[in-house]
């Protein structure tokens, strides 16, 4: 990446900042963020997470059975678990195995020869008091709360921090199980809601209950969740593009009336997003919306909700335009992640923009679907006030480091800008739908998404992505109007930036021009003013 910019003296400061960030990483960052040799030789196929949650002392006890296919010979397996949780023992084929711990990583020595093509499994037993979430979902872990009636209210959230904060797993995003069984044991008066469909509930002799949830689709590890509370529920069916989709809602009884009204937005969300992105990706597992004691998160087929049963983001419009108060931010945004995060998932958190830029942009598209194209544009343009442009959107690869928060609002405006370049709304919709079909249930590198958009649009967008994802400057159209001539060029950009842009002279019709970083000229009829189409996230300066 650095080679692309080494000739541009204006990028010296960003490059130095990146180097400084790189120097701060530790061996633990590398063990977490890299496809290590101890991960690479085996392909994860299935998990059975079986855990007992004990709200009385905020502890967990259980096991993960990891099923895998051997890709190449290897006798050491890396499994991750974060302290204060600890691995108690590891078993394969009835034999207890030895292991060594290196921080959050456990390196298990397998006795049985691991032959390529074979299907194997290993069971990792663990226990302890997991890290308590301090500012979920941003600083996650496990919450051991009480609801307004004094009942236990437990929830997990762990994006970035990693699923290994509460269960042993292969804690890297590149490898997902094809399916999963989640068995959560709770005190008898409580209910657990996790991902997928509830297969059965078992009443145990010790006064507990075990809920067995089966996920029939690939699932990313941070999307796995446990939500325990005094829940009540109701169901409905949505007639979607792939037929009947089961919708289930779980809330605290004291909030039932408010929830039944607010959650009417779910079918509206599905209608809009299936239009733009294609079928909901997890019909087999259904869709659930689950009340939790934090703001919310995109847990696959088990979206969590804590927005206070009100529109906006905690009652506020992030765009400042009024449109953001027409709908519930958490229902719309977190559900948008079912397509961008859970269906299409980044391989490396450095490409988190694939999740957040598209999902931020989905807010704009939802607004457009119900309130019109100008309303959608108003919304996404309104969020520009929240862009900071202090660090690149793309993070550092291989060390579990995400890029800047600009992946949300700047990323959404980048996609809105690309839509203008495509200049064909029907084609743009087909690109978005096609992307969800092409990368259905897959993990991807950001470069794959960049190449896909360029190829399907028929436009070379490489410089656009380099500018908006890897640089912090806003492209500026510099121009002069003298006599019957317009002179123009891009400044404040990377070398070779050549994005087309629409402009209007003297308030007339918008038309495309093709600026580069060198001056160009075109004839006018004595134009006195130039306006850049507001839908392009750029600046303009007359000189």
């Amino acid at each position: 990446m650095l080679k692309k910019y080494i000739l541009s003296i204006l990028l010296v400061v960003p490059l130095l900042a990146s180097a400084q960030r790189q120097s701060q990483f530790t061996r633990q960052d590398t063990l977490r963020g890299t496809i290590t040799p101890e991960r690479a030789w085996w392909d994860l196929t299935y998990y059975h997470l079986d855990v007992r949650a004990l709200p009385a002392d905020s502890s967990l006890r259980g096991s993960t059975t990891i099923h895998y296919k051997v890709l190449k010979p290897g006798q050491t397996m890396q499994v991750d678990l974060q302290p204060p949780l600890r691995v108690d023992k590891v078993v394969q084929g009835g034999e207890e195995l030895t292991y060594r711990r290196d921080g959050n990583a456990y390196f298990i020595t397998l006795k049985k020869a691991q032959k390529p093509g074979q299907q194997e499994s290993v069971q990792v037993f663990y226990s302890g008091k997991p890290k308590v979430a301090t500012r979920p979902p941003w600083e996650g872990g496990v919450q051991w709360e009480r609801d307004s009636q004094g009942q236990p209210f437990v929830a997990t959230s762990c994006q970035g921090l990693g699923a290994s904060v509460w269960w042993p797993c292969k804690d890297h995003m590149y490898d997902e199980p094809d399916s999963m069984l989640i068995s959560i044991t709770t005190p008898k008066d409580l209910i657990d809601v996790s991902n997928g469909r509830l297969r059965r509930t078992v009443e145990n002799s010790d006064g507990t209950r075990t809920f067995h949830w089966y996920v029939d689709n690939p699932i990313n590890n941070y999307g796995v969740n446990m939500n325990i509370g005094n829940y009540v529920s109701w169901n409905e069916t949505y007639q979607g593009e792939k037929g009947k989709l089961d919708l289930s809602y779980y809330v605290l009884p004291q909030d039932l009336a408010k929830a039944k009204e607010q959650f009417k937005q779910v079918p509206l969300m599905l209608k809009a997003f299936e239009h733009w992105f294609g079928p909901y990706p997890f019909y087999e597992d259904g869709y659930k919306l689950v009340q939790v004691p934090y703001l919310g998160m995109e847990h696959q087929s088990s979206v969590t909700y804590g927005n206070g049963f009100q529109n906006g983001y905690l009652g506020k419009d992030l765009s400042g335009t009024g449109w953001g108060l027409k709908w519930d931010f958490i229902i719309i945004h977190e559900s948008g992640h079912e397509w961008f995060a859970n269906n299409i998932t980044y391989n490396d958190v450095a490409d988190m923009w694939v999740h957040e830029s598209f999902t931020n942009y989905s807010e704009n598209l939802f607004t457009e679907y119900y309130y019109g194209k100008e309303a959608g544009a108003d919304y996404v343009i309104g969020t520009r006030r929240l862009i900071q442009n202090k660090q690149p959107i793309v993070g550092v690869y291989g060390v579990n480091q995400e890029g800047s928060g600009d992946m949300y609002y700047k990323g959404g405006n980048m996609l809105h800008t690309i839509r203008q370049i495509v200049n064909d709304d029907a084609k743009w919709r087909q690109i978005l739908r096609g992307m969800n079909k092409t990368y259905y249930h897959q993990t991807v590198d950001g470069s794959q998404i960049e190449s896909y958009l360029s190829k399907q649009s028929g436009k070379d967008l490489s410089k656009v992505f380099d500018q908006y994802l890897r640089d912090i400057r806003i492209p500026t159209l510099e121009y002069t109007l003298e006599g019957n001539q317009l002179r123009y060029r891009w400044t404040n950009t990377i070398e070779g930036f050549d994005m087309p842009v629409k402009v209007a002279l003297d308030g007339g019709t918008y038309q495309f021009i093709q600026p580069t970083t060198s001056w160009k000229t075109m004839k006018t009829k004595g134009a006195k003013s130039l306006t850049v189409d507001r839908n392009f996230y750029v600046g303009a300066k007359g000189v």
Side-chain angles (χ1 to χ4, degrees), residues 234 256-265:
W234 76 100
L256 181 61
K258 292 182 292 185
K260 282 198 168 184
E261 183 61 31
Q262 193 71 3
F263 289 6
K264 289 178 181 178
Q265 294 187 34

Side-chain angles (χ1 to χ4, degrees), residues 260-404:
K260 282 198 168 184
E261 183 61 31
Q262 193 71 3
F263 289 6
K264 289 178 181 178
Q265 294 187 34
V266 169
L268 299 176
M269 172 276 298
L270 288 164
K271 185 177 181 181
F273 287 168
E274 286 206 331
H275 168 84
W276 285 111
F277 307 138
Y280 173 73
F282 309 105
Y283 270 72
E284 300 84 357
D285 293 323
Y287 172 95
K288 293 188 295 297
L289 192 59
V290 187
Q291 185 179 359
V292 291
Y294 63 94
L295 185 60
M297 193 70 193
E298 67 259 26
H299 301 107
Q300 183 174 309
S301 73
S302 181
V303 174
T304 50
Y305 177 89
N307 198 40
F309 308 102
Q310 60 189 324
N311 284 353
Y313 180 97
L314 295 174
K316 300 177 182 178
D317 174 15
L318 294 176
S319 75
T321 65
W323 294 115
L325 293 177
K326 299 289 186 181
W327 40 268
D328 189 309
F329 178 90
I330 292 299
I331 293 176
I332 303 311
H333 179 91
E334 303 304 343
S335 298
H337 277 306
E338 293 281 44
W339 285 264
F340 300 101
N342 298 337
N343 185 38
I344 304 174
T345 307
Y346 55 67
N347 278 321
D348 191 302
V349 73
D351 283 325
M352 191 172 171
W353 71 271
V354 174
H355 293 196
E356 299 300 350
S357 297
F358 280 96
T359 304
N360 174 272
Y361 182 59
S362 77
E363 302 163 23
N364 160 24
L365 295 180
F366 178 88
T367 304
E368 175 177 332
Y369 187 84
Y370 287 105
Y371 303 103
K373 190 172 181 178
E374 285 303 304
D378 286 345
Y379 179 84
V380 70
I381 292 168
T383 65
R384 290 176 187 171
R385 65 198 182 102
L386 302 173
I387 300 172
Q388 297 187 5
N389 283 317
K390 293 181 179 179
Q391 291 184 352
I393 287 175
V394 173
V396 180
Y397 294 94
V399 288
N400 194 48
Q401 198 259 357
E402 63 192 53
S404 78

Side-chain angles (χ1 to χ4, degrees), residues 85-310:
L85 292 174
R86 63 186 178 274
V87 169
D88 297 323
K89 66 176 178 178
V90 183
V91 175
Q92 184 173 59
E95 292 189 89
E96 194 164 333
L97 305 178
T98 61
Y99 53 85
R100 64 178 177 87
R101 178 184 164 194
D102 186 344
N104 299 335
Y106 286 78
F107 293 94
I108 302 164
T109 301
L110 303 172
K111 295 181 180 179
K112 180 181 178 180
Q114 305 293 300
K115 298 180 180 180
Q118 286 186 335
Q119 299 284 344
E120 302 287 357
S121 67
V122 62
Q123 189 171 13
V124 181
F125 294 86
Y126 76 110
S127 62
K129 295 184 177 182
K131 179 183 183 298
V132 174
T134 55
R135 195 172 67 94
W138 302 281
E139 295 175 23
V142 182
Q143 282 176 277
W144 306 93
E145 306 288 348
R146 296 273 174 173
D147 67 21
S148 62
Q149 306 302 308
Q151 295 286 341
F153 200 16
V154 181
T156 58
S157 56
C158 57
Q159 186 179 19
L161 177 61
S164 59
V165 74
W166 72 278
W167 59 285
C169 61
K170 189 179 195 177
D171 206 354
H172 193 288
M173 300 297 291
Y174 86 101
D175 195 6
E176 298 180 347
D178 302 321
S179 56
M180 182 171 184
L181 179 62
I182 305 165
S183 301
I184 307 293
T185 300
T186 72
K188 64 180 180 180
D189 296 329
L190 300 176
I191 290 173
D192 170 70
V193 184
S194 291
N195 314 78
R197 293 185 185 272
L198 184 63
R199 275 189 165 177
R200 60 193 177 104
T201 303
V202 177
E203 302 287 340
N204 302 313
S205 60
D206 62 356
T208 63
R209 289 194 289 184
T210 303
F211 297 84
H212 297 278
W213 295 88
Y214 180 71
V215 181
D216 197 33
N217 289 289
I219 184 169
N220 61 60
N221 55 36
Y222 84 82
V224 177
N225 69 347
M226 171 181 70
N227 307 291
I228 299 172
N230 182 34
Y231 287 119
V232 294
S233 65
W234 76 100
N235 306 294
E236 63 177 323
T237 300
Y238 176 75
Q239 189 65 42
E241 288 194 13
K242 288 179 67 174
K244 292 182 178 180
L245 173 62
D246 294 328
L247 311 181
S248 302
Y249 309 103
Y250 291 83
V251 300
L252 300 178
Q254 55 267 36
D255 295 320
L256 181 61
K258 292 182 292 185
K260 282 198 168 184
E261 183 61 31
Q262 193 71 3
F263 289 6
K264 289 178 181 178
Q265 294 187 34
V266 169
L268 299 176
M269 172 276 298
L270 288 164
K271 185 177 181 181
F273 287 168
E274 286 206 331
H275 168 84
W276 285 111
F277 307 138
Y280 173 73
F282 309 105
Y283 270 72
E284 300 84 357
D285 293 323
Y287 172 95
K288 293 188 295 297
L289 192 59
V290 187
Q291 185 179 359
V292 291
Y294 63 94
L295 185 60
M297 193 70 193
E298 67 259 26
H299 301 107
Q300 183 174 309
S301 73
S302 181
V303 174
T304 50
Y305 177 89
N307 198 40
F309 308 102
Q310 60 189 324

Side-chain angles (χ1 to χ4, degrees), residues 494-515:
I494 62 170
E495 186 74 21
F497 186 69
D498 58 355
M499 184 178 79
V501 65
K502 281 184 175 181
V503 299
L505 299 176
D506 291 339
T509 303
Y510 284 103
Q511 59 182 320
F512 273 108
I513 59 174
Q514 304 284 332

Side-chain angles (χ1 to χ4, degrees), residues 420-433:
Q420 314 313 310
I421 298 170
V422 173
N423 199 34
D424 183 332
D425 289 346
K427 184 176 185 179
W428 180 240
R429 178 186 167 212
Q430 290 307 311
I431 289 172
L432 296 175
R433 289 174 64 92

